[in-house]
PDB file of all heavy atoms in Angstrom:
ATOM      1  N   TYR A   1     -12.063  41.903  91.704  1.00  0.00           N
ATOM      2  CA  TYR A   1     -10.650  42.006  92.062  1.00  0.00           C
ATOM      3  C   TYR A   1     -10.066  40.642  92.408  1.00  0.00           C
ATOM      4  O   TYR A   1      -8.928  40.347  92.043  1.00  0.00           O
ATOM      5  CB  TYR A   1     -10.479  42.973  93.247  1.00  0.00           C
ATOM      6  CG  TYR A   1      -9.039  43.118  93.668  1.00  0.00           C
ATOM      7  CD1 TYR A   1      -8.208  44.026  93.034  1.00  0.00           C
ATOM      8  CD2 TYR A   1      -8.508  42.341  94.695  1.00  0.00           C
ATOM      9  CE1 TYR A   1      -6.878  44.163  93.409  1.00  0.00           C
ATOM     10  CE2 TYR A   1      -7.188  42.462  95.070  1.00  0.00           C
ATOM     11  CZ  TYR A   1      -6.380  43.371  94.427  1.00  0.00           C
ATOM     12  OH  TYR A   1      -5.067  43.497  94.793  1.00  0.00           O
ATOM     13  N   ARG A   2     -10.835  39.807  93.091  1.00  0.00           N
ATOM     14  CA  ARG A   2     -10.345  38.472  93.450  1.00  0.00           C
ATOM     15  C   ARG A   2     -10.124  37.607  92.209  1.00  0.00           C
ATOM     16  O   ARG A   2      -9.370  36.632  92.264  1.00  0.00           O
ATOM     17  CB  ARG A   2     -11.294  37.792  94.436  1.00  0.00           C
ATOM     18  CG  ARG A   2     -11.226  38.391  95.827  1.00  0.00           C
ATOM     19  CD  ARG A   2     -11.951  37.547  96.866  1.00  0.00           C
ATOM     20  NE  ARG A   2     -13.327  37.225  96.518  1.00  0.00           N
ATOM     21  CZ  ARG A   2     -14.381  37.983  96.810  1.00  0.00           C
ATOM     22  NH1 ARG A   2     -14.223  39.116  97.458  1.00  0.00           N
ATOM     23  NH2 ARG A   2     -15.590  37.599  96.466  1.00  0.00           N
ATOM     24  N   THR A   3     -10.746  37.940  91.120  1.00  0.00           N
ATOM     25  CA  THR A   3     -10.496  37.259  89.847  1.00  0.00           C
ATOM     26  C   THR A   3      -9.353  37.935  89.092  1.00  0.00           C
ATOM     27  O   THR A   3      -8.500  37.259  88.503  1.00  0.00           O
ATOM     28  CB  THR A   3     -11.769  37.281  88.971  1.00  0.00           C
ATOM     29  OG1 THR A   3     -12.822  36.661  89.689  1.00  0.00           O
ATOM     30  CG2 THR A   3     -11.564  36.566  87.663  1.00  0.00           C
ATOM     31  N   ALA A   4      -9.340  39.255  89.117  1.00  0.00           N
ATOM     32  CA  ALA A   4      -8.354  40.015  88.347  1.00  0.00           C
ATOM     33  C   ALA A   4      -6.929  39.845  88.882  1.00  0.00           C
ATOM     34  O   ALA A   4      -5.984  39.673  88.101  1.00  0.00           O
ATOM     35  CB  ALA A   4      -8.722  41.500  88.335  1.00  0.00           C
ATOM     36  N   ARG A   5      -6.778  39.908  90.180  1.00  0.00           N
ATOM     37  CA  ARG A   5      -5.433  39.860  90.770  1.00  0.00           C
ATOM     38  C   ARG A   5      -4.668  38.585  90.382  1.00  0.00           C
ATOM     39  O   ARG A   5      -3.555  38.669  89.883  1.00  0.00           O
ATOM     40  CB  ARG A   5      -5.544  40.000  92.294  1.00  0.00           C
ATOM     41  CG  ARG A   5      -4.247  39.953  93.048  1.00  0.00           C
ATOM     42  CD  ARG A   5      -3.502  41.282  93.067  1.00  0.00           C
ATOM     43  NE  ARG A   5      -2.642  41.434  91.898  1.00  0.00           N
ATOM     44  CZ  ARG A   5      -2.313  42.587  91.340  1.00  0.00           C
ATOM     45  NH1 ARG A   5      -2.766  43.707  91.816  1.00  0.00           N
ATOM     46  NH2 ARG A   5      -1.520  42.641  90.298  1.00  0.00           N
ATOM     47  N   PRO A   6      -5.240  37.387  90.565  1.00  0.00           N
ATOM     48  CA  PRO A   6      -4.493  36.187  90.165  1.00  0.00           C
ATOM     49  C   PRO A   6      -4.254  36.106  88.654  1.00  0.00           C
ATOM     50  O   PRO A   6      -3.210  35.606  88.216  1.00  0.00           O
ATOM     51  CB  PRO A   6      -5.350  35.016  90.636  1.00  0.00           C
ATOM     52  CG  PRO A   6      -6.430  35.580  91.459  1.00  0.00           C
ATOM     53  CD  PRO A   6      -6.471  37.054  91.256  1.00  0.00           C
ATOM     54  N   ALA A   7      -5.198  36.606  87.874  1.00  0.00           N
ATOM     55  CA  ALA A   7      -5.012  36.594  86.417  1.00  0.00           C
ATOM     56  C   ALA A   7      -3.822  37.461  86.028  1.00  0.00           C
ATOM     57  O   ALA A   7      -2.985  37.060  85.210  1.00  0.00           O
ATOM     58  CB  ALA A   7      -6.278  37.080  85.721  1.00  0.00           C
ATOM     59  N   MET A   8      -3.713  38.632  86.628  1.00  0.00           N
ATOM     60  CA  MET A   8      -2.620  39.531  86.295  1.00  0.00           C
ATOM     61  C   MET A   8      -1.293  39.041  86.879  1.00  0.00           C
ATOM     62  O   MET A   8      -0.245  39.203  86.245  1.00  0.00           O
ATOM     63  CB  MET A   8      -2.938  40.958  86.768  1.00  0.00           C
ATOM     64  CG  MET A   8      -4.157  41.539  86.061  1.00  0.00           C
ATOM     65  SD  MET A   8      -4.113  41.372  84.250  1.00  0.00           S
ATOM     66  CE  MET A   8      -2.754  42.465  83.856  1.00  0.00           C
ATOM     67  N   ASP A   9      -1.336  38.443  88.050  1.00  0.00           N
ATOM     68  CA  ASP A   9      -0.109  37.850  88.595  1.00  0.00           C
ATOM     69  C   ASP A   9       0.389  36.729  87.681  1.00  0.00           C
ATOM     70  O   ASP A   9       1.580  36.630  87.394  1.00  0.00           O
ATOM     71  CB  ASP A   9      -0.353  37.303  90.004  1.00  0.00           C
ATOM     72  CG  ASP A   9      -0.526  38.406  91.037  1.00  0.00           C
ATOM     73  OD1 ASP A   9      -0.217  39.579  90.735  1.00  0.00           O
ATOM     74  OD2 ASP A   9      -0.987  38.083  92.155  1.00  0.00           O
ATOM     75  N   GLY A  10      -0.538  35.901  87.218  1.00  0.00           N
ATOM     76  CA  GLY A  10      -0.174  34.826  86.292  1.00  0.00           C
ATOM     77  C   GLY A  10       0.389  35.367  84.990  1.00  0.00           C
ATOM     78  O   GLY A  10       1.345  34.816  84.432  1.00  0.00           O
ATOM     79  N   LEU A  11      -0.197  36.461  84.505  1.00  0.00           N
ATOM     80  CA  LEU A  11       0.296  37.079  83.275  1.00  0.00           C
ATOM     81  C   LEU A  11       1.732  37.567  83.464  1.00  0.00           C
ATOM     82  O   LEU A  11       2.585  37.362  82.598  1.00  0.00           O
ATOM     83  CB  LEU A  11      -0.610  38.238  82.850  1.00  0.00           C
ATOM     84  CG  LEU A  11      -0.204  38.948  81.565  1.00  0.00           C
ATOM     85  CD1 LEU A  11      -0.334  38.017  80.363  1.00  0.00           C
ATOM     86  CD2 LEU A  11      -1.022  40.206  81.368  1.00  0.00           C
ATOM     87  N   ARG A  12       2.007  38.200  84.594  1.00  0.00           N
ATOM     88  CA  ARG A  12       3.371  38.696  84.857  1.00  0.00           C
ATOM     89  C   ARG A  12       4.365  37.539  84.937  1.00  0.00           C
ATOM     90  O   ARG A  12       5.482  37.627  84.419  1.00  0.00           O
ATOM     91  CB  ARG A  12       3.406  39.495  86.151  1.00  0.00           C
ATOM     92  CG  ARG A  12       3.057  40.929  85.933  1.00  0.00           C
ATOM     93  CD  ARG A  12       3.303  41.761  87.181  1.00  0.00           C
ATOM     94  NE  ARG A  12       2.274  42.770  87.246  1.00  0.00           N
ATOM     95  CZ  ARG A  12       1.110  42.645  87.869  1.00  0.00           C
ATOM     96  NH1 ARG A  12       0.831  41.563  88.535  1.00  0.00           N
ATOM     97  NH2 ARG A  12       0.229  43.608  87.838  1.00  0.00           N
ATOM     98  N   ILE A  13       3.975  36.473  85.594  1.00  0.00           N
ATOM     99  CA  ILE A  13       4.859  35.303  85.701  1.00  0.00           C
ATOM    100  C   ILE A  13       5.102  34.699  84.320  1.00  0.00           C
ATOM    101  O   ILE A  13       6.235  34.372  83.955  1.00  0.00           O
ATOM    102  CB  ILE A  13       4.263  34.266  86.672  1.00  0.00           C
ATOM    103  CG1 ILE A  13       4.289  34.817  88.099  1.00  0.00           C
ATOM    104  CG2 ILE A  13       5.009  32.938  86.583  1.00  0.00           C
ATOM    105  CD1 ILE A  13       3.451  34.032  89.083  1.00  0.00           C
ATOM    106  N   ALA A  14       4.032  34.577  83.533  1.00  0.00           N
ATOM    107  CA  ALA A  14       4.164  34.019  82.182  1.00  0.00           C
ATOM    108  C   ALA A  14       5.015  34.932  81.300  1.00  0.00           C
ATOM    109  O   ALA A  14       5.822  34.454  80.497  1.00  0.00           O
ATOM    110  CB  ALA A  14       2.785  33.805  81.571  1.00  0.00           C
ATOM    111  N   GLU A  15       4.849  36.241  81.444  1.00  0.00           N
ATOM    112  CA  GLU A  15       5.669  37.192  80.688  1.00  0.00           C
ATOM    113  C   GLU A  15       7.145  36.996  81.023  1.00  0.00           C
ATOM    114  O   GLU A  15       7.997  36.937  80.132  1.00  0.00           O
ATOM    115  CB  GLU A  15       5.257  38.622  81.009  1.00  0.00           C
ATOM    116  CG  GLU A  15       6.130  39.676  80.357  1.00  0.00           C
ATOM    117  CD  GLU A  15       5.852  41.079  80.856  1.00  0.00           C
ATOM    118  OE1 GLU A  15       5.007  41.282  81.746  1.00  0.00           O
ATOM    119  OE2 GLU A  15       6.521  41.998  80.344  1.00  0.00           O
ATOM    120  N   ASN A  16       7.452  36.881  82.299  1.00  0.00           N
ATOM    121  CA  ASN A  16       8.846  36.670  82.708  1.00  0.00           C
ATOM    122  C   ASN A  16       9.383  35.342  82.187  1.00  0.00           C
ATOM    123  O   ASN A  16      10.569  35.240  81.856  1.00  0.00           O
ATOM    124  CB  ASN A  16       8.986  36.760  84.224  1.00  0.00           C
ATOM    125  CG  ASN A  16       8.865  38.186  84.714  1.00  0.00           C
ATOM    126  OD1 ASN A  16       9.225  39.128  84.015  1.00  0.00           O
ATOM    127  ND2 ASN A  16       8.338  38.361  85.908  1.00  0.00           N
ATOM    128  N   GLY A  17       8.527  34.328  82.108  1.00  0.00           N
ATOM    129  CA  GLY A  17       8.943  33.053  81.528  1.00  0.00           C
ATOM    130  C   GLY A  17       9.333  33.208  80.072  1.00  0.00           C
ATOM    131  O   GLY A  17      10.351  32.656  79.632  1.00  0.00           O
ATOM    132  N   VAL A  18       8.555  33.972  79.319  1.00  0.00           N
ATOM    133  CA  VAL A  18       8.885  34.217  77.912  1.00  0.00           C
ATOM    134  C   VAL A  18      10.210  34.973  77.822  1.00  0.00           C
ATOM    135  O   VAL A  18      11.075  34.632  77.007  1.00  0.00           O
ATOM    136  CB  VAL A  18       7.752  34.999  77.203  1.00  0.00           C
ATOM    137  CG1 VAL A  18       8.191  35.475  75.823  1.00  0.00           C
ATOM    138  CG2 VAL A  18       6.502  34.138  77.092  1.00  0.00           C
ATOM    139  N   LEU A  19      10.378  35.988  78.666  1.00  0.00           N
ATOM    140  CA  LEU A  19      11.616  36.774  78.637  1.00  0.00           C
ATOM    141  C   LEU A  19      12.825  35.924  78.996  1.00  0.00           C
ATOM    142  O   LEU A  19      13.920  36.133  78.474  1.00  0.00           O
ATOM    143  CB  LEU A  19      11.508  37.971  79.575  1.00  0.00           C
ATOM    144  CG  LEU A  19      10.408  38.984  79.254  1.00  0.00           C
ATOM    145  CD1 LEU A  19      10.405  40.109  80.277  1.00  0.00           C
ATOM    146  CD2 LEU A  19      10.523  39.523  77.849  1.00  0.00           C
ATOM    147  N   LEU A  20      12.636  34.961  79.868  1.00  0.00           N
ATOM    148  CA  LEU A  20      13.736  34.118  80.327  1.00  0.00           C
ATOM    149  C   LEU A  20      14.080  33.005  79.335  1.00  0.00           C
ATOM    150  O   LEU A  20      15.249  32.733  79.083  1.00  0.00           O
ATOM    151  CB  LEU A  20      13.376  33.500  81.682  1.00  0.00           C
ATOM    152  CG  LEU A  20      14.396  32.557  82.306  1.00  0.00           C
ATOM    153  CD1 LEU A  20      15.670  33.316  82.651  1.00  0.00           C
ATOM    154  CD2 LEU A  20      13.809  31.904  83.543  1.00  0.00           C
ATOM    155  N   LEU A  21      13.062  32.375  78.751  1.00  0.00           N
ATOM    156  CA  LEU A  21      13.280  31.142  78.004  1.00  0.00           C
ATOM    157  C   LEU A  21      13.183  31.258  76.486  1.00  0.00           C
ATOM    158  O   LEU A  21      13.601  30.344  75.780  1.00  0.00           O
ATOM    159  CB  LEU A  21      12.285  30.078  78.475  1.00  0.00           C
ATOM    160  CG  LEU A  21      12.410  29.668  79.937  1.00  0.00           C
ATOM    161  CD1 LEU A  21      11.257  28.767  80.330  1.00  0.00           C
ATOM    162  CD2 LEU A  21      13.736  28.997  80.191  1.00  0.00           C
ATOM    163  N   CYS A  22      12.620  32.341  76.002  1.00  0.00           N
ATOM    164  CA  CYS A  22      12.363  32.426  74.562  1.00  0.00           C
ATOM    165  C   CYS A  22      13.309  33.408  73.873  1.00  0.00           C
ATOM    166  O   CYS A  22      14.037  34.153  74.519  1.00  0.00           O
ATOM    167  CB  CYS A  22      10.913  32.822  74.324  1.00  0.00           C
ATOM    168  SG  CYS A  22       9.752  31.564  74.903  1.00  0.00           S
ATOM    169  N   SER A  23      13.240  33.402  72.571  1.00  0.00           N
ATOM    170  CA  SER A  23      14.069  34.252  71.733  1.00  0.00           C
ATOM    171  C   SER A  23      13.942  35.720  72.130  1.00  0.00           C
ATOM    172  O   SER A  23      12.847  36.198  72.448  1.00  0.00           O
ATOM    173  CB  SER A  23      13.647  34.082  70.270  1.00  0.00           C
ATOM    174  OG  SER A  23      14.196  35.096  69.473  1.00  0.00           O
ATOM    175  N   SER A  24      15.049  36.450  72.060  1.00  0.00           N
ATOM    176  CA  SER A  24      15.022  37.875  72.392  1.00  0.00           C
ATOM    177  C   SER A  24      14.131  38.656  71.424  1.00  0.00           C
ATOM    178  O   SER A  24      13.658  39.734  71.759  1.00  0.00           O
ATOM    179  CB  SER A  24      16.435  38.450  72.399  1.00  0.00           C
ATOM    180  OG  SER A  24      17.032  38.304  71.133  1.00  0.00           O
ATOM    181  N   LEU A  25      13.885  38.124  70.246  1.00  0.00           N
ATOM    182  CA  LEU A  25      12.962  38.772  69.303  1.00  0.00           C
ATOM    183  C   LEU A  25      11.551  38.853  69.868  1.00  0.00           C
ATOM    184  O   LEU A  25      10.775  39.730  69.485  1.00  0.00           O
ATOM    185  CB  LEU A  25      12.929  37.997  67.981  1.00  0.00           C
ATOM    186  CG  LEU A  25      14.238  37.895  67.207  1.00  0.00           C
ATOM    187  CD1 LEU A  25      14.073  36.977  66.002  1.00  0.00           C
ATOM    188  CD2 LEU A  25      14.699  39.271  66.779  1.00  0.00           C
ATOM    189  N   LEU A  26      11.221  37.969  70.779  1.00  0.00           N
ATOM    190  CA  LEU A  26       9.877  37.907  71.350  1.00  0.00           C
ATOM    191  C   LEU A  26       9.716  38.807  72.567  1.00  0.00           C
ATOM    192  O   LEU A  26       8.596  39.068  73.000  1.00  0.00           O
ATOM    193  CB  LEU A  26       9.571  36.447  71.718  1.00  0.00           C
ATOM    194  CG  LEU A  26       8.135  36.023  71.902  1.00  0.00           C
ATOM    195  CD1 LEU A  26       7.257  36.460  70.750  1.00  0.00           C
ATOM    196  CD2 LEU A  26       8.059  34.517  72.062  1.00  0.00           C
ATOM    197  N   HIS A  27      10.802  39.342  73.101  1.00  0.00           N
ATOM    198  CA  HIS A  27      10.737  40.119  74.337  1.00  0.00           C
ATOM    199  C   HIS A  27       9.895  41.387  74.200  1.00  0.00           C
ATOM    200  O   HIS A  27       8.999  41.628  75.017  1.00  0.00           O
ATOM    201  CB  HIS A  27      12.135  40.461  74.828  1.00  0.00           C
ATOM    202  CG  HIS A  27      12.916  39.243  75.234  1.00  0.00           C
ATOM    203  ND1 HIS A  27      14.185  39.333  75.728  1.00  0.00           N
ATOM    204  CD2 HIS A  27      12.627  37.923  75.212  1.00  0.00           C
ATOM    205  CE1 HIS A  27      14.645  38.125  76.004  1.00  0.00           C
ATOM    206  NE2 HIS A  27      13.715  37.250  75.680  1.00  0.00           N
ATOM    207  N   ALA A  28      10.178  42.218  73.221  1.00  0.00           N
ATOM    208  CA  ALA A  28       9.458  43.490  73.080  1.00  0.00           C
ATOM    209  C   ALA A  28       7.964  43.282  72.819  1.00  0.00           C
ATOM    210  O   ALA A  28       7.136  43.923  73.484  1.00  0.00           O
ATOM    211  CB  ALA A  28      10.093  44.344  71.982  1.00  0.00           C
ATOM    212  N   PRO A  29       7.557  42.405  71.900  1.00  0.00           N
ATOM    213  CA  PRO A  29       6.114  42.219  71.691  1.00  0.00           C
ATOM    214  C   PRO A  29       5.409  41.634  72.915  1.00  0.00           C
ATOM    215  O   PRO A  29       4.261  41.980  73.193  1.00  0.00           O
ATOM    216  CB  PRO A  29       6.021  41.256  70.504  1.00  0.00           C
ATOM    217  CG  PRO A  29       7.347  41.222  69.883  1.00  0.00           C
ATOM    218  CD  PRO A  29       8.339  41.685  70.892  1.00  0.00           C
ATOM    219  N   THR A  30       6.096  40.771  73.654  1.00  0.00           N
ATOM    220  CA  THR A  30       5.510  40.189  74.861  1.00  0.00           C
ATOM    221  C   THR A  30       5.274  41.270  75.901  1.00  0.00           C
ATOM    222  O   THR A  30       4.194  41.364  76.487  1.00  0.00           O
ATOM    223  CB  THR A  30       6.426  39.086  75.428  1.00  0.00           C
ATOM    224  OG1 THR A  30       6.601  38.077  74.451  1.00  0.00           O
ATOM    225  CG2 THR A  30       5.846  38.479  76.691  1.00  0.00           C
ATOM    226  N   THR A  31       6.273  42.091  76.131  1.00  0.00           N
ATOM    227  CA  THR A  31       6.163  43.164  77.118  1.00  0.00           C
ATOM    228  C   THR A  31       5.100  44.177  76.708  1.00  0.00           C
ATOM    229  O   THR A  31       4.302  44.617  77.540  1.00  0.00           O
ATOM    230  CB  THR A  31       7.527  43.843  77.315  1.00  0.00           C
ATOM    231  OG1 THR A  31       8.453  42.858  77.797  1.00  0.00           O
ATOM    232  CG2 THR A  31       7.458  44.979  78.309  1.00  0.00           C
ATOM    233  N   ALA A  32       5.066  44.538  75.439  1.00  0.00           N
ATOM    234  CA  ALA A  32       4.067  45.504  74.958  1.00  0.00           C
ATOM    235  C   ALA A  32       2.651  44.959  75.137  1.00  0.00           C
ATOM    236  O   ALA A  32       1.752  45.686  75.587  1.00  0.00           O
ATOM    237  CB  ALA A  32       4.329  45.845  73.492  1.00  0.00           C
ATOM    238  N   TYR A  33       2.440  43.710  74.813  1.00  0.00           N
ATOM    239  CA  TYR A  33       1.119  43.098  74.956  1.00  0.00           C
ATOM    240  C   TYR A  33       0.729  42.998  76.433  1.00  0.00           C
ATOM    241  O   TYR A  33      -0.396  43.331  76.808  1.00  0.00           O
ATOM    242  CB  TYR A  33       1.121  41.730  74.286  1.00  0.00           C
ATOM    243  CG  TYR A  33      -0.214  41.043  74.197  1.00  0.00           C
ATOM    244  CD1 TYR A  33      -1.410  41.750  74.128  1.00  0.00           C
ATOM    245  CD2 TYR A  33      -0.294  39.660  74.143  1.00  0.00           C
ATOM    246  CE1 TYR A  33      -2.634  41.103  74.033  1.00  0.00           C
ATOM    247  CE2 TYR A  33      -1.506  39.000  74.046  1.00  0.00           C
ATOM    248  CZ  TYR A  33      -2.674  39.727  73.993  1.00  0.00           C
ATOM    249  OH  TYR A  33      -3.885  39.072  73.907  1.00  0.00           O
TER     250      TYR A  33
END
């Protein structure tokens, strides 16, 4: 869990970065993945 929690927090932050800064075409595949 001490490994999983930061990995998943980082993934959520990175996902939000893609949603904020990248093309809207990339939003749905990023969220699904």
Side-chain angles (χ1 to χ4, degrees):
Y1 180 85
R2 287 192 307 272
T3 302
R5 179 82 273 151
M8 297 311 293
D9 288 347
L11 181 66
R12 273 189 216 91
I13 292 167
E15 175 189 2
N16 287 329
V18 170
L19 299 179
L20 179 65
L21 298 172
C22 295
S23 166
S24 60
L25 298 174
L26 200 50
H27 295 181
T30 301
T31 299
Y33 187 29

